[in-house]
């Protein structure tokens, strides 16, 4: 038995994954667990570095080279360290992806560790939400757990839930019904965090669970599964969830406080103001950067508030142009196209729905989730074998 197949490897990996939910240093700085991800990763992937590099990996490498070149060019032009930091984050994410791509390709069962990490962290966050006190709340209003920010916590939950539900080695008890129960608890935590982007992502994930339920019930990928059934069951699930939250709103103070704060924030700005604040208007206002990109840094060029673009969709387009955007999302699409089908597409869409309104590409667990896709069998390899 190889080391990757041992229980120690699973325990080691799960422990490090749990550590990614604990932020010790300020936001923007590497956290201890993020560094530890590299150490066991190198160790686990040592015997699998000769794996074949296909189209998705080549596109990712091209994106890394291109984005590094763009940021280096603007650093030489403006001498602002933000460009170098952006490239450092991308380099770390790409390195993390390739390390765990090797791990999950050689030992796909390790993808299930993301589920066990999730099951360890969720009860802790529930405890902190109701009994932890103000130390675990952002500005004494929004749940952030052991993170530095409510959106960080919500994105972590969304990423790990997505990876856990997509793992082909789920335990027998993780059925669509139990997945819906787990999703309800996670929905409550994200609601307490007040992350609108994550709530939108979880709503799409709920659609995927409904599709999974009917697919599992009919023992077929598509037979007997209609969009009407999926939408009706999803609507029923969301309605039940809203009713439960309403009861909690009436009876539990943290829930009522979170609901009032979320409502206040939703109505604080107009839709156009939200788009402007998140940087959606920059590509329209400065189209000269659309082809090659503006580089990711020195935000004072574009905004007096020094805010970066808050969108994983728009940010690569503006910072690295159409060229960089096509390389990045071409990599993601070709990777997913070869391994996902049916309800899995809705599940994987959840983090990208989050990314419509919040920038999450530099979060290490995002790249870890993408690497976990390699635990799923490749359709092209199966067809070649047939």
């Amino acid at each position: 038995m190889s080391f990757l197949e041992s229980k120690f490897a699973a325990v080691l990996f799960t422990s490090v994954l749990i550590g990614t939910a604990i932020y010790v240093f300020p936001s923007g700085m590497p956290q201890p667990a993020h560094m530890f991800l590299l150490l066991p990763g190198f160790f686990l992937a040592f015997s699998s570095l000769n794996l074949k590099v296909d189209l998705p990996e080549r596109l990712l490498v091209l994106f890394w080279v291109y984005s590094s070149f763009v940021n280096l060019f603007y650093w030489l032009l403006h001498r602002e360290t933000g460009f170098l930091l952006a490239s450092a984050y991308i380099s770390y994410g790409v390195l993390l992806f390739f390390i765990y791509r090797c791990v999950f390709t050689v030992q796909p069962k390790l993808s299930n560790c993301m589920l066990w990490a999730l099951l360890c962290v969720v009860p802790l966050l529930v405890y902190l939400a109701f009994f932890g006190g103000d130390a675990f709340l952002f500005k004494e209003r929004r749940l952030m757990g052991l993170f530095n920010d409510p959106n960080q916590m919500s994105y972590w939950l969304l990423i790990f839930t997505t990876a856990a539900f997509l793992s082909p080695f789920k335990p027998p008890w993780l059925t669509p019904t139990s997945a819906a129960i787990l999703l309800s608890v996670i929905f409550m935590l994200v609601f307490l965090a007040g992350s609108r982007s994550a709530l939108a992502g979880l709503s799409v994930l709920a659609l995927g669970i409904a599709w999974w339920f009917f697919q599992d019930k009919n023992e077929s990928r598509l037979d007997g599964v209609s969009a009407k059934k999926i939408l009706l069951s999803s609507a029923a699930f969301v309605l039940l969830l809203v009713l439960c939250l309403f009861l909690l709103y009436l009876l539990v103070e943290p829930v009522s406080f979170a609901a009032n704060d979320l409502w206040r924030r939703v109505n604080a700005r107009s839709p156009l103001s939200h788009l402007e604040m998140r940087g959606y208007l920059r590509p329209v206002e400065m189209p000269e950067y659309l082809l090659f990109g503006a580089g990711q840094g020195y935000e004072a060029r574009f905004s007096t508030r020094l805010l970066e673009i808050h969108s994983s969709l728009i940010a690569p387009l503006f910072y690295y142009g159409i060229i960089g955007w096509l390389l990045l999302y071409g990599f993601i699409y070709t990777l997913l196209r070869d391994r996902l089908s049916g309800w899995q597409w809705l599940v994987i869409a959840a983090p990208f729905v989050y990314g419509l309104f919040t920038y999450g590409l530099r979060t290490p667990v995002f790249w870890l989730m993408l690497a976990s896709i390699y635990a799923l069998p490749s359709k092209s390899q199966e067809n070649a074998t047939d």
Side-chain angles (χ1 to χ4, degrees):
M1 180 178 68
S2 67
F3 174 76
L4 288 177
E5 297 173 328
S6 67
K7 290 184 179 180
F8 178 73
V11 172
L12 173 66
F13 187 34
T14 303
S15 301
V16 175
L17 290 176
I18 293 172
T20 61
I22 303 172
Y23 275 47
V24 177
F25 302 120
S27 299
M29 294 181 62
Q31 303 300 325
H34 297 156
M35 295 297 99
F36 281 122
L37 274 174
L38 294 178
L39 297 178
F42 275 121
F43 182 60
L44 296 174
F46 180 74
S47 62
S48 54
L49 296 178
N50 56 350
L51 292 173
K52 181 181 177 183
V53 176
D54 293 318
L55 177 61
E57 296 84 36
R58 290 196 292 268
L59 289 173
L60 179 58
V61 170
L62 287 174
F63 169 73
W64 173 71
V65 171
Y66 182 78
S67 62
S68 299
F69 174 79
V70 170
N71 283 328
L72 180 61
F73 172 81
Y74 281 102
W75 177 77
L76 292 172
L77 191 64
H78 299 288
R79 297 292 175 172
E80 206 275 330
T81 57
F83 298 109
L84 300 182
L85 287 175
S87 288
Y89 276 113
I90 292 174
S91 299
Y92 172 80
V94 171
L95 177 62
L96 196 68
F97 171 83
F98 275 104
I99 289 173
Y100 284 96
R101 174 222 179 211
C102 295
V103 171
F104 291 127
T105 302
V106 173
Q107 183 48 268
K109 290 184 178 180
L110 284 176
S111 63
N112 212 31
C113 293
M114 300 190 77
L115 170 63
W116 300 119
L118 181 70
L119 293 176
C120 290
V121 171
V122 165
L124 174 62
L125 292 177
V126 171
Y127 175 82
L128 295 178
F130 295 100
F131 306 106
D134 292 344
F136 303 100
L137 301 178
F138 181 73
K139 296 182 179 179
E140 300 182 353
R141 290 198 299 265
R142 301 167 60 191
L143 177 66
M144 65 178 182
L146 297 171
F147 296 80
N148 292 332
D149 179 86
N151 282 325
Q152 289 172 349
M153 186 200 80
S154 302
Y155 193 45
W156 190 97
L157 289 171
L158 189 61
I159 288 289
F160 273 72
T161 303
T162 298
F165 289 173
L166 289 179
S167 173
F169 298 97
K170 294 181 286 290
W173 56 263
L174 188 59
T175 63
T177 302
S178 60
I181 295 172
L182 177 59
L183 187 63
S184 301
V185 178
I186 292 170
F187 192 96
M188 180 190 68
L189 290 171
V190 172
F191 182 82
L192 292 174
S195 176
R196 293 163 291 181
S197 302
L199 288 173
L202 287 174
S203 300
V204 175
L205 209 156
L207 284 173
I209 299 301
W211 189 343
W212 180 16
F213 173 81
F214 284 108
Q215 176 177 312
D216 188 66
K217 184 178 179 181
N218 290 277
E219 297 181 351
S220 174
R221 183 178 304 168
L222 294 175
D223 293 345
V225 181
S226 66
K228 183 178 179 181
K229 287 181 178 180
I230 295 170
L231 291 174
L232 286 176
S233 61
S234 299
F237 172 72
V238 171
L239 179 61
L240 180 62
L241 196 58
V242 170
L243 289 174
C244 292
L245 285 173
F246 180 69
L247 290 175
L248 290 172
Y249 172 79
L250 295 177
L251 301 173
V252 182
E253 184 177 351
V255 177
S256 60
F257 200 84
N260 293 332
D261 185 65
L262 181 61
W263 181 255
R264 177 190 62 81
R265 290 168 50 238
V266 168
N267 291 278
R269 294 176 179 270
S270 66
L272 182 62
S273 176
H274 274 291
L275 290 176
E276 183 179 8
M277 181 188 71
R278 294 177 183 275
Y280 265 76
L281 301 184
R282 279 194 206 172
V284 178
E285 295 171 346
M286 289 164 267
E288 63 270 22
Y289 292 110
L290 282 181
L291 182 57
F292 298 109
Q296 192 167 358
Y298 191 25
E299 299 295 333
R301 295 176 293 166
F302 315 115
S303 171
T304 57
R305 290 177 295 177
L306 304 178
L307 294 178
E308 68 177 354
I309 296 176
H310 284 19
S311 170
S312 297
L313 180 70
I314 301 299
L317 177 63
F318 185 74
Y319 292 140
Y320 304 113
I322 294 174
I323 297 173
W325 192 92
L326 289 175
L327 289 173
L328 175 62
Y329 281 96
F331 146 68
I332 293 172
Y333 173 70
T334 53
L335 170 65
L336 302 181
R337 178 190 60 185
D338 195 39
R339 287 173 167 82
L340 301 184
S341 61
W343 62 272
Q344 295 172 325
W345 281 103
L346 284 175
V347 172
I348 197 64
F352 295 97
V353 171
Y354 173 96
L356 290 174
F357 313 106
T358 307
Y359 187 75
L361 294 180
R362 71 166 145 260
T363 306
V365 293
F366 169 79
W367 297 96
L368 196 62
M369 178 205 70
L370 289 180
S372 73
I373 300 298
Y374 283 89
L376 293 163
S378 170
K379 297 176 187 176
S380 58
Q381 292 179 357
E382 288 180 345
N383 294 336
T385 303
D386 294 341

